Amino acid sequence: MKYQSQKVALYYFVGALVLFLSQVTFGALAGAVYVWPNLLAETLPFNIIRMIHTNSLIVWLLMGFMGAAYYLIPEESETEIYSPLIAKIQFWLFLFGGAAAIVGYMMGIHGGREFLEQPLWIKLAIVVVMLMFLFNLSMTVLKGRKTAVSMILIVGLWMVALLFLFAFYNPVNLVLDKIFWWFVVHLWVEGVWELIMASILAFLMIKMTGVDREIVEKWLYLIVSLALFTGLLGTGHHYYWIGTPGYWQWIGSVFSTLEVAPFFAMVLFTFYMVWKGGRKHPNNAAILWALGCSVFAFFGAGVWGFLHTLANVNYYTHGTQVTAAHGHLAFYGAYVMVNLAIITYAMPKLLGREPYNQMLNMWGFWITSSGVAFMTFVLTFAGVIQSHVQRFLGESYMDVQDQMMFFYQLRLGAGLVVVIGAFIIVYSLLVPGRETQRVKAAQTKPAE
């Protein structure tokens, strides 16, 4: 590592990985409830399990983004972090807030607003944490070198914080509530998070391929422009059926279709950079995660999003298992994988374990990715059946659920594979491999 203050990223990466395991475990538990509906019905109802599953996802992804920022900003700015102490305090506050929210959910304390269920005091704590984070990061960038990677990353992170303020606005009118609710949920994942994702991938391409920074930055500007152009008005695909004017069906359909473009550009970008770089980077696992991220994001957010984003198709598929298929593949491809890419790149440096047992990490990649891909196909088939039988033929919801039980069983199996893969990935990152141990033993062995 060039800068000692980069070590604060280790707190965030370890915290993110622990929450990652929690998230996938509760996801598998939710899948089990689909198969055995009365499982834990009294002690831990399904709505609480799902709440913990989705909130753990959001918290660990944000924690990963924070760790990525604290790792790459010093290198991009060519200066130490403004205050490592603030970074450490911020981490423990964020971790405490996330843990308190989960405990509160288990006790039935929540706001009931999907994805934004956090009680008011935790929302306020999140704002405080984000202000500490952004102050620390902004001061670091201001005193050092300014690059396209660092500036786009910090703009994305500032927009994450500003858009979260809409979580405090909860109007009585349900239509207005949903309009502004999507300002947080959609404009995060299909807007400003894409800026964060693109800047992290750009940093990795610069470090691992050796391609000229100018070339990488030109691609970065193109991807960010496409993401904002399509993502902002692409919010309209959530406004089809909530009571808004009919013109949103046209706006949503057109711009949602165009949302495929930035993800396709990311595929071209990462593969072109790795090919153009030509040199063999020792961390093959990090390259695999970076390439996998662009491919899975393109299919999950791009292709599977397009499958049911047109208004006349969405009329039948809205809220079915097709939505779940798209959501799982998109989140995994775009944000889980980019976090695991930067963590896989940075952890060996942070822990002083180069070389490390990256083969196990790559096995984790293929096992987890196969599980998510299979789950996506299973949910897609289930959603198509559900759309036809329930929405088109008019059979009752519960009768249709019985007909899809086979798919839910397959989904549970896929979920268990994902859990196994996740534990392998975390183990490979946190536990020294045999190769590392041999190298360290040779270094410490006294000369004869």
Side-chain angles (χ1 to χ4, degrees):
M1 289 187 306
K2 287 186 177 181
Y3 304 96
Q4 288 302 305
S5 57
Q6 286 178 285
K7 288 182 179 178
V8 299
L10 186 60
Y11 288 86
Y12 292 86
F13 289 155
V14 172
L17 290 173
V18 171
L19 286 172
F20 172 44
L21 296 181
S22 168
Q23 180 239 324
V24 295
T25 302
F26 274 92
L29 186 58
V33 174
Y34 269 87
V35 178
W36 301 289
N38 292 321
L39 181 68
L40 300 176
E42 299 294 328
T43 54
L44 199 61
F46 176 79
N47 68 307
I48 302 299
I49 296 172
R50 183 182 182 276
M51 205 179 291
I52 295 172
H53 175 55
T54 55
N55 278 254
S56 296
L57 171 68
I58 294 167
V59 171
W60 93 256
L61 291 180
L62 288 174
M63 196 171 281
F65 291 158
M66 290 174 178
Y70 279 133
Y71 184 85
L72 70 86
I73 286 294
E75 289 197 23
E76 288 295 301
S77 302
E78 295 183 339
T79 183
E80 297 285 0
I81 292 170
Y82 177 75
S83 173
L85 179 61
I86 290 177
K88 291 175 185 176
I89 295 171
Q90 170 213 329
F91 166 76
W92 290 111
L93 285 175
F94 193 32
L95 187 66
F96 172 77
I102 290 173
V103 172
Y105 298 156
M106 290 180 173
M107 298 171 64
I109 304 170
H110 56 82
R113 202 177 182 202
E114 190 180 11
F115 297 115
L116 303 176
E117 294 97 343
Q118 309 84 17
L120 178 61
W121 74 270
I122 290 183
K123 284 191 173 77
L124 292 170
I126 291 171
V127 171
V128 172
V129 165
M130 287 302 296
L131 288 175
M132 293 171 67
F133 172 58
L134 292 169
F135 168 77
N136 206 7
L137 218 57
S138 300
M139 293 299 289
T140 305
V141 171
L142 287 172
K143 73 174 183 174
R145 181 182 67 158
K146 284 78 176 172
T147 67
V149 172
S150 62
M151 297 309 293
I152 289 172
L153 176 63
I154 204 162
V155 166
L157 291 167
W158 267 103
M159 291 306 297
V160 166
L162 292 173
L163 288 168
F164 182 72
L165 296 179
F166 285 103
F168 292 91
Y169 181 54
N170 191 0
V172 175
N173 184 296
L174 192 59
V175 177
L176 283 177
D177 167 48
K178 283 299 178 186
I179 286 175
F180 290 106
W181 181 81
W182 283 113
F183 275 25
V184 182
V185 179
H186 173 96
L187 292 180
W188 265 17
V189 300
E190 294 175 68
V192 295
W193 280 23
E194 288 184 34
L195 274 63
I196 298 168
M197 173 190 175
S199 57
I200 293 173
L201 283 177
F203 173 80
L204 290 172
M205 292 300 104
I206 291 170
K207 293 297 179 182
M208 293 194 294
T209 66
V211 174
D212 236 10
R213 178 179 287 273
E214 287 185 12
I215 298 173
V216 174
E217 288 181 347
K218 286 176 183 176
W219 275 92
L220 181 58
Y221 287 131
L222 172 66
I223 291 167
V224 166
S225 300
L226 288 171
L228 292 176
F229 174 71
T230 61
L232 294 177
L233 285 174
T235 314
H237 66 231
H238 300 297
Y239 293 167
Y240 291 160
W241 324 118
I242 65 170
T244 51
Y247 55 74
W248 278 111
Q249 293 178 24
W250 281 101
I251 296 172
S253 296
V254 171
F255 282 90
S256 293
T257 302
L258 296 174
E259 281 190 70
V260 177
F263 290 104
F264 184 64
M266 284 186 195
V267 176
L268 296 178
F269 165 62
T270 51
F271 277 83
Y272 175 66
M273 291 301 123
V274 171
W275 171 78
K276 186 175 176 61
R279 66 186 178 91
K280 188 80 170 174
H281 192 273
N283 197 333
N284 291 316
I287 291 177
L288 180 63
W289 280 108
L291 293 174
C293 169
S294 64
V295 172
F296 272 73
F298 168 66
F299 281 101
V303 176
W304 254 258
F306 173 72
L307 284 179
H308 72 138
T309 199
L310 298 177
N312 55 345
V313 176
N314 190 264
Y315 181 77
Y316 295 100
T317 61
H318 184 83
T320 66
Q321 295 299 323
V322 174
T323 305
H326 159 59
H328 281 83
L329 190 60
F331 260 108
Y332 175 73
Y335 304 120
V336 170
M337 293 183 93
V338 78
N339 264 319
L340 292 175
I342 186 66
I343 292 172
T344 299
Y345 172 78
M347 284 294 269
K349 299 176 184 295
L350 291 167
L351 296 174
R353 291 177 183 166
E354 291 188 290
Y356 78 110
N357 186 5
Q358 58 181 315
M359 187 58 66
L360 190 63
N361 185 290
M362 294 166 80
W363 270 106
F365 169 92
W366 289 112
I367 292 170
T368 307
S369 300
S370 299
V372 173
F374 186 73
M375 184 189 303
T376 301
F377 288 121
V378 165
L379 289 174
T380 303
F381 287 128
V384 170
I385 292 171
Q386 185 181 9
S387 301
H388 179 72
V389 178
Q390 183 182 324
R391 299 283 170 80
F392 189 75
L393 299 181
E395 291 193 22
S396 69
Y397 174 82
M398 290 308 297
D399 287 340
V400 177
Q401 292 298 304
D402 287 339
Q403 295 177 45
M404 294 194 296
M405 184 54 66
F406 175 66
F407 295 103
Y408 292 153
Q409 292 168 346
L410 293 176
R411 192 260 299 273
L412 175 58
L416 294 174
V417 171
V418 171
V419 172
I420 293 168
F423 273 88
I424 291 173
I425 292 164
V426 174
Y427 180 88
S428 73
L429 291 169
L430 297 182
V431 178
R434 292 178 184 175
E435 191 177 359
T436 305
Q437 292 169 349
R438 282 199 299 269
V439 171
K440 286 197 171 182
Q443 291 172 344
T444 55
K445 186 177 179 181
E448 294 180 1

